[in-house]
Amino acid sequence: MILNEETIRLILGLKIRSSRADKGISLTELAQQTGVSVSYLNEIEKGKKHPKPSKIALIADALDVPYDQLVSLEIDKKLLAVARLLSSDLMKELPLEHFGIDISTLVDVFATAPAKFGAFVNTLIEIARNRDISVEQFYFDALRSYQEMRENYFGDLEQLASTFIEEKNIEGNGTSLIAQLEQVLLTDYSIKVKYSLQKNEQLKELRSLFDSNNKELLINDKLSVEQKAFILAKEIGFQLLNIENRSYTSVWVKVESFDVVLNNFRTSYFAGAVLVSCDQLIEDMEGFFAHKKWSAESLDEIMQKYTATPEVFMYRLTSILPKFFGLNQLFFLKFDRNKSDKEVHLSKELHLSGLHNPHASFRHEHYCNRWISIWLLNDLEKAPKEQWISGIQRSSYVDSTNEYLLFSVARRTPTQNSTVSIGLLINQQLTQKVRFVNDENIPRRLVNITCERCRLTDCEERSAEARIYLKQQQQEQLINAIQEFLNR
């Protein structure tokens, strides 16, 4: 096992703390016996400081352990699992600092029960391997947790976008907005924008590519106006934030670190805030929620005011509704249906204030066809002239008291159709804010997560047998039978 300097400090601290605990000596008592201050001993045990040999000798004498035992790279069995963890690639991949966690905090946990904690972490690693969770997926899951911790609202980026709009006098929409963003890139950062990426046979599937050597932003000209505006605004975000640790393409060719993933999110957030300004969206949604009746046309009119795709617009709502309307019990889902295989995939998911009923399923399961997210995709195929269609639903979940109000927008692209949906938990807060929540024209459906886990027997929309539910029922019946036999 190769140990770096930081790991050596951490292991020394763990050894000292473990020995001190075995002897029943407090930090204060150890400080009195060695003449080393309590604060410095505390930093040693947390792996923040590596003392001089003379101080290690004093500590070894006070703990009645050999000096060589403390400084040796040999590790006893109790600390072996922890040492392996600290020196593993996993520790390099964990974005601890972004969650406000110092490595010394983990050391405290390790020291309390190193063998048990090591076994627990090894179990998590094995689960990840068995479920084929890649490093990339780990980073994206960590990012989602990072967003959920902050209710997906980032005031510094909102302020940066607001200041940018004001200072650059950004106004208008469509091609006019694109021209303004192009001018900012050229004037402020000497970046030329070229709409020629589709001409390169090997790169034609990309939406954009930033050539830092030639200071050129290459964009696929087949994109919509809204998509082009987002790419331009995002590149301005990279430049404004002076981000060098970044992705240069519109798709993830290779994910090298969590910082790259986080920087991509932050610039995307900035772009969304530029295209859909916070103050204007609050005003629009206040007027929309004041309606006594649901109106898809009203929602469409609001979306058309912005040079933003339905996904960007709906995603902005996940930041604005919790912060300014108090509607933080929500989820966001994006489903894609490829035109080639017709299969539905959940490509994006966000949950605020806990994991809500609709969430990603295990592999090879079929999402409930009663979800508006799913049946709106079917409706879109029947409306070939529409670029997008919107709808609403009140969803009650089988074996749950939760009911959600779902807004959903289905949109077509050349390669796939997609739906983006926001679900709001129906509670007193929602009832006070959204006047049309009880509109009798809003469809009400009893839904579930997947067909495989659903007990409903009279579902005409079922796509697969309830194999998982039936297996669970058989297991419960067996457990009850065993209990009845033992209690006879």
Side-chain angles (χ1 to χ4, degrees):
M1 185 189 313
I2 300 176
L3 303 179
N4 57 33
E5 183 178 341
E6 181 183 20
T7 304
I8 292 173
R9 291 200 310 269
L10 292 169
I11 294 300
L12 173 63
L14 283 171
K15 283 184 175 183
I16 293 173
R17 180 165 177 168
S18 178
S19 298
R20 182 171 61 78
D22 290 343
K23 303 291 184 181
I25 299 175
S26 68
L27 266 179
T28 302
E29 291 171 335
L30 184 59
Q32 292 172 347
Q33 294 179 40
T34 60
V36 180
S37 69
V38 172
S39 61
Y40 190 66
L41 286 172
N42 188 44
E43 289 192 318
I44 293 172
E45 290 192 354
K46 289 185 175 182
K48 293 183 177 181
K49 299 289 185 181
H50 194 285
K52 295 179 180 179
S54 58
K55 283 188 168 57
I56 297 177
L58 290 173
I59 294 171
D61 289 342
L63 296 175
D64 193 24
V65 297
Y67 172 88
D68 289 344
Q69 181 177 321
L70 288 184
V71 299
S72 171
L73 294 182
E74 293 185 6
I75 303 169
D76 62 41
K77 187 176 181 180
K78 183 170 64 172
L79 297 176
L80 186 58
V82 176
R84 286 175 176 168
L85 176 65
L86 291 173
S87 59
S88 70
D89 290 337
L90 177 64
M91 292 305 297
K92 300 174 185 176
E93 294 164 3
L94 289 172
L96 299 176
E97 67 277 10
H98 295 293
F99 291 86
I101 301 175
D102 189 88
I103 187 65
S104 61
T105 304
L106 286 184
V107 172
D108 284 340
V109 179
F110 294 160
T112 303
K116 291 181 179 180
F117 191 84
F120 170 71
V121 171
N122 287 336
T123 300
L124 293 180
I125 294 173
E126 287 304 314
I127 291 174
R129 286 173 179 168
N130 292 334
R131 292 191 178 275
D132 193 26
I133 299 176
S134 64
V135 173
E136 289 84 355
Q137 187 59 51
F138 173 80
Y139 287 148
F140 291 129
D141 288 343
L143 173 63
R144 190 165 63 242
S145 297
Y146 177 80
Q147 294 172 251
E148 291 166 358
M149 284 172 57
R150 292 157 177 79
E151 292 194 333
N152 203 33
Y153 181 83
F154 297 85
D156 61 327
L157 298 177
E158 295 284 354
Q159 183 59 51
L160 185 67
S162 179
T163 301
F164 168 76
I165 292 172
E166 183 177 353
E167 290 183 351
K168 300 301 179 182
N169 195 27
I170 302 297
E171 57 184 5
N173 51 33
T175 56
S176 171
L177 175 59
I178 285 181
Q180 294 175 70
L181 298 178
E182 289 175 352
Q183 189 61 44
V184 170
L185 284 171
L186 181 61
T187 303
D188 293 11
Y189 307 108
S190 301
I191 295 175
K192 296 180 181 179
V193 180
K194 295 184 177 180
Y195 298 94
S196 57
L197 194 57
Q198 73 284 354
K199 296 179 181 179
N200 187 305
E201 187 64 27
Q202 293 181 312
L203 304 177
K204 65 181 182 180
E205 299 302 321
L206 296 177
R207 293 186 177 186
S208 66
L209 175 65
F210 180 61
D211 182 354
S212 59
N213 293 326
N214 295 312
K215 302 282 282 185
E216 291 180 347
L217 177 60
L218 307 177
I219 298 179
N220 193 316
D221 198 36
K222 294 182 179 180
L223 298 181
S224 68
V225 170
E226 293 81 10
Q227 290 171 321
K228 292 175 181 176
F230 182 83
I231 291 170
L232 293 169
K234 184 176 177 181
E235 185 57 45
I236 291 173
F238 276 121
Q239 301 301 323
L240 264 178
L241 293 166
N242 197 27
I243 293 174
E244 296 182 357
N245 195 10
R246 56 170 290 182
S247 171
Y248 292 90
T249 64
S250 55
V251 297
W252 290 106
V253 178
K254 183 179 179 181
V255 181
E256 298 188 0
S257 70
F258 179 75
D259 282 337
V260 172
V261 174
L262 179 60
N263 289 336
N264 185 74
F265 162 73
R266 285 177 59 80
T267 52
S268 296
Y269 189 105
F270 169 82
V274 169
L275 302 181
V276 184
S277 72
C278 179
D279 292 341
Q280 184 61 56
L281 184 57
I282 292 172
E283 181 180 331
D284 289 337
M285 295 309 296
E286 284 177 344
F288 178 63
F289 287 155
H291 294 167
K292 294 181 180 180
K293 295 290 185 180
W294 153 256
S295 171
E297 292 76 14
S298 296
L299 181 60
D300 290 346
E301 287 177 7
I302 293 175
M303 288 194 295
Q304 289 170 0
K305 291 174 59 176
Y306 301 96
T307 307
T309 64
E311 179 180 350
V312 170
F313 176 84
M314 296 286 276
Y315 205 70
R316 281 292 284 155
L317 291 179
T318 66
S319 302
I320 302 307
L321 295 184
K323 179 69 174 179
F324 298 98
F325 292 83
L327 303 176
N328 60 350
Q329 296 280 346
L330 65 78
F331 62 84
F332 172 93
L333 302 176
K334 180 175 183 285
F335 287 94
D336 299 324
R337 173 182 283 167
N338 294 331
K339 292 183 178 180
S340 56
D341 58 20
K342 298 294 184 181
E343 289 190 11
V344 176
H345 310 276
L346 180 60
S347 59
K348 188 172 291 186
E349 178 182 19
L350 183 69
H351 296 262
L352 302 187
S353 301
L355 185 64
H356 299 279
N357 297 78
H359 53 78
S361 70
F362 297 101
R363 298 180 186 180
H364 312 304
E365 293 187 37
H366 297 77
Y367 293 106
C368 178
N369 285 317
R370 293 182 174 185
W371 285 1
I372 186 174
S373 304
I374 306 300
W375 57 257
L376 210 58
L377 281 172
N378 300 328
D379 287 353
L380 184 64
E381 292 183 357
K382 300 173 185 177
K385 294 182 180 180
E386 302 294 336
Q387 284 302 306
W388 78 60
I389 57 175
S390 57
I392 195 170
Q393 179 185 62
R394 283 181 65 143
S395 297
S396 300
Y397 284 80
V398 176
D399 300 323
S400 172
T401 58
N402 291 342
E403 185 179 12
Y404 292 87
L405 183 68
L406 277 87
F407 304 93
S408 189
V409 180
R411 175 177 178 266
R412 67 174 79 253
T413 68
T415 58
Q416 66 183 20
N417 294 339
S418 302
T419 55
V420 285
S421 305
I422 288 183
L424 303 169
L425 182 67
I426 297 178
N427 53 22
Q428 184 177 2
Q429 184 76 5
L430 179 75
T431 303
Q432 291 175 350
K433 293 289 183 179
V434 183
R435 297 192 63 186
F436 57 75
V437 64
N438 293 315
D439 183 355
E440 59 185 16
N441 292 319
I442 296 177
R444 302 187 183 213
R445 305 293 298 274
L446 180 64
V447 303
N448 212 329
I449 307 299
T450 66
C451 293
E452 287 79 358
R453 299 172 186 271
C454 183
R455 64 173 174 79
L456 298 180
T457 57
D458 59 345
C459 180
E460 297 179 357
E461 296 88 351
R462 179 179 288 279
S463 311
E465 294 297 322
R467 56 180 178 81
I468 296 178
Y469 171 75
L470 292 175
K471 185 177 180 179
Q472 291 172 340
Q473 289 298 106
Q474 292 171 357
Q475 185 178 21
E476 289 181 11
Q477 290 172 3
L478 179 58
I479 292 173
N480 291 335
I482 293 173
Q483 194 65 42
E484 287 179 7
F485 179 82
L486 296 175
N487 293 336
R488 73 186 190 281

